[in-house]
Amino acid sequence: MSAIYRIRIDSRRCQGHARCLAFLPDTVDFDDEGYAYVPEEKSCRAEMTDALRQAAANCPERAFQVVAEE
Ligand code: F3S
């Protein structure tokens, strides 16, 4: 069975730095207060990509996470 990679942005941690947007411009969106979120229909990927890794690694608040689900 292969994993699905689900993007999660922890709204309690996100401070709106927008570094995730630089790596995933077609995936990340922002609410009216400037905090990032990922629409449900864009939150799952079949594989872990460099862009996902970079977005997670470059979030200063560790709010951007990618979780492997079976
Ligand atoms: Fe928020 Fe981190 Fe992106 S603080 S806007 S999830 S880089």
Side-chain angles (χ1 to χ4, degrees):
M1 190 171 16
S2 58
I4 289 175
Y5 297 91
R6 185 181 296 277
I7 303 166
R8 293 211 183 111
I9 295 179
D10 185 338
S11 60
R12 295 164 302 179
R13 290 185 175 215
C14 177
Q15 295 297 315
H17 296 293
R19 295 192 192 174
C20 53
L21 181 68
F23 297 102
L24 297 164
D26 297 330
T27 301
V28 177
D29 212 337
F30 288 82
D31 66 17
D32 291 343
E33 296 176 333
Y35 298 109
Y37 68 95
V38 175
E40 178 65 27
E41 67 274 16
K42 297 182 178 178
S43 66
C44 289
R45 296 293 151 81
E47 55 187 35
M48 178 64 105
T49 63
D50 284 346
L52 289 176
R53 280 195 196 90
Q54 294 274 46
N58 282 275
C59 176
E61 309 296 336
R62 296 287 180 259
F64 190 102
Q65 300 161 0
V66 183
V67 180
E69 299 178 349
E70 292 300 326

Coordinates of all heavy atoms in Angstrom, one line a residue:
M1 N 0.9 -1.2 0.0 CA 0.0 0.0 0.0 C 0.9 1.2 0.0 O 1.8 1.3 0.8 CB -0.9 0.0 1.2 CG -2.0 1.0 1.2 SD -3.3 0.9 2.4 CE -2.6 -0.1 3.7
S2 N 0.6 2.2 -0.8 CA 1.4 3.4 -0.9 C 0.8 4.5 0.0 O -0.4 4.6 0.2 CB 1.6 3.9 -2.3 OG 0.3 4.1 -2.9
A3 N 1.7 5.4 0.4 CA 1.2 6.5 1.3 C 0.6 7.6 0.5 O 0.9 7.8 -0.7 CB 2.4 7.0 2.1
I4 N -0.2 8.4 1.2 CA -0.7 9.7 0.6 C 0.0 10.7 1.5 O 0.1 10.6 2.8 CB -2.2 9.8 0.7 CG1 -2.8 8.9 -0.3 CG2 -2.7 11.2 0.5 CD1 -4.3 8.8 -0.2
Y5 N 0.4 11.8 0.9 CA 1.0 12.9 1.7 C 0.1 14.1 1.8 O -0.4 14.7 0.9 CB 2.3 13.4 1.0 CG 3.3 12.2 0.9 CD1 3.3 11.4 -0.1 CD2 4.2 12.0 2.0 CE1 4.2 10.3 -0.2 CE2 5.0 10.9 2.0 CZ 5.1 10.1 0.9 OH 5.9 9.0 0.9
R6 N -0.3 14.3 3.1 CA -1.3 15.3 3.4 C -0.6 16.6 3.9 O 0.2 16.5 4.9 CB -2.3 14.8 4.4 CG -3.5 15.8 4.6 CD -4.5 15.3 5.6 NE -5.2 14.1 5.1 CZ -6.2 14.1 4.3 NH1 -6.7 15.3 3.8 NH2 -6.8 13.0 3.9
I7 N -0.9 17.7 3.4 CA -0.4 19.0 3.8 C -1.2 19.5 5.0 O -2.5 19.6 4.8 CB -0.3 20.0 2.7 CG1 0.5 19.5 1.5 CG2 0.2 21.4 3.2 CD1 0.3 20.3 0.3
R8 N -0.6 19.9 6.0 CA -1.3 20.5 7.1 C -0.6 21.8 7.5 O 0.6 21.9 7.7 CB -1.3 19.6 8.4 CG -2.1 18.3 8.2 CD -2.7 17.9 9.5 NE -3.4 16.7 9.3 CZ -3.0 15.5 9.9 NH1 -1.9 15.5 10.6 NH2 -3.7 14.4 9.7
I9 N -1.4 22.9 7.7 CA -0.8 24.1 8.3 C -1.5 24.3 9.6 O -2.7 24.4 9.7 CB -1.0 25.3 7.3 CG1 -0.2 25.1 6.0 CG2 -0.6 26.6 8.0 CD1 -0.4 26.2 5.0
D10 N -0.6 24.3 10.7 CA -1.1 24.5 12.0 C -1.4 26.0 12.3 O -0.6 26.8 12.3 CB 0.0 24.0 13.0 CG -0.5 24.1 14.5 OD1 -1.4 24.8 14.8 OD2 0.1 23.4 15.3
S11 N -2.7 26.3 12.3 CA -3.2 27.7 12.4 C -2.8 28.3 13.7 O -2.7 29.6 13.8 CB -4.7 27.7 12.2 OG -5.3 27.0 13.3
R12 N -2.4 27.5 14.7 CA -2.0 28.1 16.0 C -0.5 28.6 15.9 O -0.1 29.4 16.7 CB -2.1 27.1 17.1 CG -3.6 26.7 17.4 CD -3.6 25.5 18.3 NE -2.9 24.4 17.6 CZ -2.8 23.1 18.0 NH1 -3.3 22.8 19.2 NH2 -2.2 22.2 17.3
R13 N 0.2 28.0 15.0 CA 1.6 28.4 14.8 C 1.9 29.3 13.7 O 2.8 30.1 13.8 CB 2.4 27.1 14.5 CG 2.5 26.2 15.7 CD 3.5 25.0 15.3 NE 3.7 24.2 16.5 CZ 4.8 23.5 16.7 NH1 5.9 23.7 15.9 NH2 5.0 22.8 17.8
C14 N 1.1 29.3 12.6 CA 1.4 30.1 11.4 C 1.4 31.6 11.8 O 0.4 32.1 12.5 CB 0.3 29.9 10.4 SG 0.5 30.9 8.9
Q15 N 2.4 32.3 11.4 CA 2.5 33.7 11.6 C 2.5 34.5 10.3 O 2.8 35.7 10.3 CB 3.8 34.1 12.4 CG 3.8 33.5 13.8 CD 2.7 34.1 14.7 OE1 2.5 35.3 14.7 NE2 2.0 33.2 15.4
G16 N 2.2 33.8 9.2 CA 2.0 34.5 7.9 C 3.3 34.9 7.2 O 3.3 35.8 6.4
H17 N 4.4 34.2 7.5 CA 5.6 34.5 6.9 C 5.6 34.3 5.3 O 6.5 34.9 4.6 CB 6.8 33.6 7.5 CG 7.0 33.9 8.9 ND1 7.5 35.1 9.4 CD2 6.8 33.2 10.0 CE1 7.6 35.1 10.7 NE2 7.2 33.9 11.1
A18 N 4.8 33.4 4.9 CA 4.6 33.2 3.4 C 5.7 32.5 2.7 O 5.8 32.6 1.5 CB 4.2 34.5 2.7
R19 N 6.7 32.0 3.4 CA 7.7 31.2 2.7 C 7.2 30.0 2.0 O 7.7 29.6 0.9 CB 8.8 30.8 3.7 CG 9.5 32.0 4.3 CD 10.8 31.6 5.0 NE 11.3 32.8 5.7 CZ 12.3 32.7 6.6 NH1 12.9 31.5 6.8 NH2 12.7 33.7 7.2
C20 N 6.1 29.4 2.6 CA 5.5 28.2 2.0 C 5.0 28.6 0.6 O 5.0 27.8 -0.4 CB 4.4 27.7 2.9 SG 3.2 28.9 3.4
L21 N 4.5 29.8 0.5 CA 3.9 30.2 -0.8 C 4.9 30.3 -1.9 O 4.6 30.0 -3.1 CB 3.3 31.6 -0.6 CG 2.6 32.3 -1.8 CD1 1.3 31.5 -2.2 CD2 2.3 33.7 -1.6
A22 N 6.1 30.6 -1.6 CA 7.2 30.7 -2.6 C 7.4 29.3 -3.2 O 7.8 29.2 -4.4 CB 8.5 31.2 -2.0
F23 N 7.2 28.2 -2.5 CA 7.5 26.9 -3.0 C 6.2 26.2 -3.6 O 6.3 25.4 -4.5 CB 8.1 26.0 -1.9 CG 9.4 26.5 -1.4 CD1 9.5 27.2 -0.2 CD2 10.5 26.3 -2.1 CE1 10.7 27.6 0.3 CE2 11.8 26.7 -1.7 CZ 11.9 27.4 -0.5
L24 N 5.1 26.7 -3.1 CA 3.8 26.1 -3.6 C 2.8 27.1 -3.9 O 1.7 27.2 -3.3 CB 3.3 25.1 -2.4 CG 4.2 24.0 -2.1 CD1 3.8 23.4 -0.8 CD2 4.1 22.9 -3.2
P25 N 3.1 27.9 -4.9 CA 2.2 29.1 -5.2 C 0.8 28.7 -5.7 O -0.1 29.4 -5.5 CB 3.0 29.8 -6.3 CG 3.9 28.8 -6.9 CD 4.2 27.9 -5.8
D26 N 0.7 27.5 -6.2 CA -0.7 27.0 -6.6 C -1.4 26.2 -5.5 O -2.5 25.8 -5.8 CB -0.5 26.1 -7.9 CG 0.1 26.9 -9.0 OD1 -0.1 28.1 -9.1 OD2 0.8 26.2 -9.8
T27 N -0.8 26.1 -4.4 CA -1.4 25.3 -3.3 C -1.8 26.1 -2.1 O -2.9 25.9 -1.5 CB -0.4 24.2 -2.9 OG1 -0.1 23.4 -4.0 CG2 -1.0 23.3 -1.8
V28 N -1.0 27.0 -1.7 CA -1.2 27.8 -0.4 C -2.1 29.0 -0.7 O -1.9 29.7 -1.7 CB 0.2 28.2 0.2 CG1 -0.1 29.1 1.4 CG2 1.0 27.0 0.5
D29 N -3.0 29.2 0.2 CA -3.9 30.4 0.1 C -3.8 31.1 1.5 O -3.3 30.5 2.5 CB -5.3 30.0 -0.2 CG -6.0 31.0 -1.0 OD1 -5.6 32.2 -0.9 OD2 -7.0 30.6 -1.7
F30 N -4.3 32.3 1.6 CA -4.3 33.1 2.8 C -5.7 33.6 3.2 O -6.4 34.0 2.3 CB -3.3 34.2 2.7 CG -1.9 33.7 2.7 CD1 -1.3 33.3 1.5 CD2 -1.1 33.7 3.8 CE1 0.0 32.8 1.5 CE2 0.2 33.3 3.8 CZ 0.7 32.8 2.6
D31 N -5.9 33.6 4.5 CA -7.2 34.1 4.9 C -7.2 35.6 5.1 O -6.1 36.2 4.8 CB -7.7 33.4 6.2 CG -6.8 33.7 7.4 OD1 -6.0 34.7 7.4 OD2 -6.8 33.0 8.4
D32 N -8.2 36.2 5.5 CA -8.3 37.7 5.5 C -7.4 38.3 6.5 O -7.1 39.5 6.4 CB -9.8 38.1 5.8 CG -10.7 37.8 4.7 OD1 -10.2 37.6 3.6 OD2 -11.9 37.8 4.9
E33 N -6.9 37.5 7.4 CA -5.9 38.0 8.4 C -4.5 37.7 8.1 O -3.6 38.0 8.9 CB -6.3 37.4 9.8 CG -7.7 37.9 10.3 CD -8.1 37.3 11.6 OE1 -7.7 36.2 11.9 OE2 -8.9 38.0 12.3
G34 N -4.3 37.1 6.9 CA -2.9 36.9 6.5 C -2.3 35.5 6.9 O -1.1 35.4 6.8
Y35 N -3.1 34.6 7.4 CA -2.6 33.3 7.8 C -2.8 32.3 6.7 O -3.9 32.3 6.0 CB -3.3 32.8 9.1 CG -3.0 33.8 10.2 CD1 -4.0 34.6 10.8 CD2 -1.7 33.9 10.8 CE1 -3.7 35.5 11.8 CE2 -1.4 34.7 11.9 CZ -2.4 35.5 12.4 OH -2.2 36.4 13.4
A36 N -1.9 31.4 6.5 CA -1.9 30.5 5.4 C -2.9 29.3 5.7 O -3.0 28.9 6.9 CB -0.5 29.9 5.1
Y37 N -3.5 28.8 4.6 CA -4.2 27.5 4.7 C -4.1 26.9 3.4 O -3.8 27.5 2.4 CB -5.7 27.7 5.1 CG -6.5 28.4 4.1 CD1 -7.3 27.7 3.2 CD2 -6.5 29.8 4.0 CE1 -8.1 28.3 2.3 CE2 -7.3 30.5 3.1 CZ -8.1 29.7 2.2 OH -8.9 30.3 1.2
V38 N -4.4 25.6 3.3 CA -4.5 24.8 2.1 C -5.9 24.3 1.9 O -6.4 23.6 2.7 CB -3.5 23.7 2.1 CG1 -3.6 22.8 0.8 CG2 -2.0 24.2 2.2
P39 N -6.5 24.7 0.8 CA -7.9 24.2 0.5 C -7.9 22.6 0.5 O -6.9 22.0 0.0 CB -8.2 24.7 -0.9 CG -7.3 25.9 -1.0 CD -6.1 25.6 -0.3
E40 N -8.9 22.1 1.0 CA -9.0 20.6 1.1 C -8.7 19.9 -0.2 O -8.0 18.9 -0.2 CB -10.5 20.2 1.6 CG -10.7 18.8 1.7 CD -9.9 18.1 2.8 OE1 -9.5 18.8 3.8 OE2 -9.6 16.9 2.7
E41 N -9.2 20.4 -1.3 CA -9.0 19.7 -2.6 C -7.5 19.8 -3.0 O -7.2 19.0 -4.0 CB -9.9 20.3 -3.6 CG -9.6 21.7 -4.1 CD -10.3 22.8 -3.2 OE1 -10.8 22.4 -2.1 OE2 -10.4 23.9 -3.6
K42 N -6.7 20.6 -2.4 CA -5.3 20.7 -2.8 C -4.4 20.1 -1.7 O -3.2 20.2 -1.8 CB -4.9 22.1 -3.0 CG -5.7 22.8 -4.2 CD -5.2 24.2 -4.4 CE -5.9 24.8 -5.6 NZ -5.5 26.2 -5.8
S43 N -4.9 19.5 -0.7 CA -4.1 19.1 0.5 C -3.4 17.7 0.4 O -2.6 17.4 1.2 CB -5.0 19.2 1.7 OG -6.0 18.2 1.7
C44 N -3.8 16.9 -0.6 CA -3.2 15.6 -0.7 C -2.3 15.4 -2.0 O -2.7 15.9 -3.0 CB -4.3 14.5 -0.7 SG -5.1 14.4 0.8
R45 N -1.2 14.7 -1.8 CA -0.3 14.4 -2.9 C 0.0 12.9 -2.9 O 0.1 12.3 -1.8 CB 1.0 15.2 -2.7 CG 0.8 16.7 -2.8 CD 0.4 17.1 -4.2 NE -0.4 18.3 -4.1 CZ 0.1 19.5 -4.0 NH1 1.4 19.7 -4.0 NH2 -0.7 20.6 -4.0
A46 N 0.3 12.4 -4.1 CA 0.7 11.0 -4.2 C 2.1 10.8 -3.9 O 2.5 9.6 -3.6 CB 0.4 10.5 -5.6
E47 N 2.9 11.8 -3.9 CA 4.3 11.6 -3.6 C 4.9 12.9 -2.9 O 4.4 14.0 -3.0 CB 5.2 11.3 -4.8 CG 5.0 12.4 -5.9 CD 5.7 11.9 -7.2 OE1 5.7 10.7 -7.5 OE2 6.3 12.8 -7.9
M48 N 6.0 12.6 -2.1 CA 6.7 13.7 -1.5 C 7.6 14.4 -2.5 O 8.4 13.7 -3.1 CB 7.5 13.2 -0.3 CG 8.3 14.2 0.4 SD 7.2 15.4 1.2 CE 7.4 14.9 2.9
T49 N 7.4 15.7 -2.7 CA 8.2 16.4 -3.7 C 9.2 17.3 -3.0 O 9.1 17.6 -1.8 CB 7.3 17.2 -4.6 OG1 6.6 18.2 -3.8 CG2 6.2 16.4 -5.3
D50 N 10.2 17.8 -3.8 CA 11.1 18.8 -3.3 C 10.4 20.0 -2.8 O 10.8 20.6 -1.7 CB 12.1 19.1 -4.3 CG 13.2 18.1 -4.5 OD1 13.3 17.1 -3.7 OD2 13.9 18.1 -5.5
A51 N 9.4 20.4 -3.5 CA 8.6 21.6 -3.1 C 8.0 21.5 -1.8 O 8.0 22.4 -0.9 CB 7.6 22.0 -4.2
L52 N 7.4 20.3 -1.5 CA 6.8 20.0 -0.2 C 7.8 20.0 0.9 O 7.6 20.6 2.0 CB 6.1 18.7 -0.2 CG 4.8 18.6 -1.0 CD1 4.3 17.1 -1.0 CD2 3.7 19.5 -0.5
R53 N 9.0 19.4 0.6 CA 10.1 19.4 1.6 C 10.6 20.7 1.9 O 10.8 21.1 3.1 CB 11.2 18.5 1.1 CG 11.0 17.0 1.2 CD 12.3 16.3 1.1 NE 12.1 14.9 0.8 CZ 11.9 14.4 -0.4 NH1 12.0 15.1 -1.4 NH2 11.6 13.1 -0.5
Q54 N 10.8 21.5 0.9 CA 11.3 22.9 1.0 C 10.3 23.8 1.8 O 10.7 24.6 2.6 CB 11.6 23.5 -0.3 CG 12.7 22.8 -1.1 CD 14.0 23.3 -0.7 OE1 14.4 23.5 0.5 NE2 14.9 23.6 -1.7
A55 N 9.0 23.6 1.5 CA 8.0 24.5 2.2 C 8.0 24.2 3.6 O 8.0 25.1 4.5 CB 6.7 24.2 1.5
A56 N 8.1 22.9 4.0 CA 8.1 22.5 5.4 C 9.4 23.0 6.1 O 9.4 23.5 7.2 CB 8.0 21.0 5.5
A57 N 10.5 22.8 5.4 CA 11.8 23.1 6.0 C 12.0 24.6 6.2 O 12.8 25.0 7.1 CB 13.0 22.6 5.1
N58 N 11.4 25.4 5.4 CA 11.6 26.9 5.4 C 10.5 27.6 6.2 O 10.6 28.8 6.3 CB 11.6 27.4 4.0 CG 13.0 27.2 3.3 OD1 13.9 27.9 3.5 ND2 13.1 26.0 2.6
C59 N 9.6 26.9 6.8 CA 8.6 27.6 7.7 C 9.3 27.9 9.0 O 9.6 26.9 9.7 CB 7.3 26.8 7.9 SG 6.2 27.6 9.0
P60 N 9.5 29.1 9.4 CA 10.2 29.4 10.6 C 9.4 29.0 11.9 O 10.0 28.9 12.9 CB 10.4 31.0 10.6 CG 9.8 31.4 9.3 CD 9.1 30.3 8.6
E61 N 8.1 28.9 11.7 CA 7.3 28.5 12.9 C 7.0 27.0 13.0 O 6.3 26.6 13.9 CB 5.9 29.3 12.8 CG 6.0 30.8 12.6 CD 6.7 31.5 13.7 OE1 6.7 31.0 14.8 OE2 7.3 32.6 13.5
R62 N 7.5 26.3 12.0 CA 7.2 24.8 11.9 C 5.7 24.6 11.9 O 5.2 23.6 12.4 CB 7.8 24.1 13.1 CG 9.3 24.1 13.2 CD 9.9 23.2 12.1 NE 11.3 23.2 12.1 CZ 12.1 23.9 11.2 NH1 11.5 24.6 10.3 NH2 13.4 23.8 11.2
A63 N 5.0 25.5 11.2 CA 3.5 25.4 11.1 C 3.2 24.5 9.9 O 2.1 23.9 9.9 CB 2.9 26.8 10.9
F64 N 4.0 24.6 8.9 CA 3.8 23.8 7.6 C 4.3 22.4 7.8 O 5.5 22.2 8.0 CB 4.4 24.5 6.4 CG 4.0 24.0 5.1 CD1 3.1 24.7 4.3 CD2 4.5 22.8 4.6 CE1 2.7 24.2 3.1 CE2 4.1 22.3 3.4 CZ 3.2 23.0 2.7
Q65 N 3.4 21.5 7.7 CA 3.8 20.1 7.9 C 3.2 19.2 6.8 O 2.2 19.5 6.2 CB 3.2 19.6 9.2 CG 3.7 20.4 10.4 CD 2.9 20.3 11.6 OE1 1.9 19.6 11.7 NE2 3.3 21.0 12.7
V66 N 4.0 18.2 6.5 CA 3.5 17.2 5.5 C 3.5 15.8 6.2 O 4.5 15.4 6.8 CB 4.4 17.1 4.3 CG1 3.8 16.1 3.3 CG2 4.5 18.5 3.6
V67 N 2.3 15.2 6.3 CA 2.1 14.0 7.0 C 1.8 12.8 6.1 O 0.9 12.9 5.2 CB 1.0 14.1 8.1 CG1 0.8 12.9 8.9 CG2 1.3 15.3 9.0
A68 N 2.6 11.8 6.2 CA 2.3 10.6 5.4 C 1.2 9.7 6.0 O 1.2 9.4 7.2 CB 3.6 9.7 5.3
E69 N 0.2 9.4 5.2 CA -0.9 8.6 5.7 C -1.0 7.3 4.8 O -0.8 7.4 3.6 CB -2.2 9.4 5.6 CG -2.2 10.6 6.4 CD -3.5 11.4 6.2 OE1 -4.3 11.0 5.3 OE2 -3.7 12.3 7.0
E70 N -1.2 6.2 5.5 CA -1.3 4.9 4.7 C -2.7 4.8 4.1 O -3.6 5.4 4.6 CB -1.1 3.8 5.6 CG 0.3 3.7 6.1 CD 1.3 3.5 5.0 OE1 1.0 2.9 4.0 OE2 2.4 4.0 5.1
Ligands
F3S1 FE1 2.6 30.3 7.9 FE2 4.9 29.1 7.8 FE3 3.7 29.6 5.6 S1 4.4 30.8 9.2 S2 2.6 31.4 5.9 S3 3.0 28.3 7.2 S4 5.9 29.8 6.0

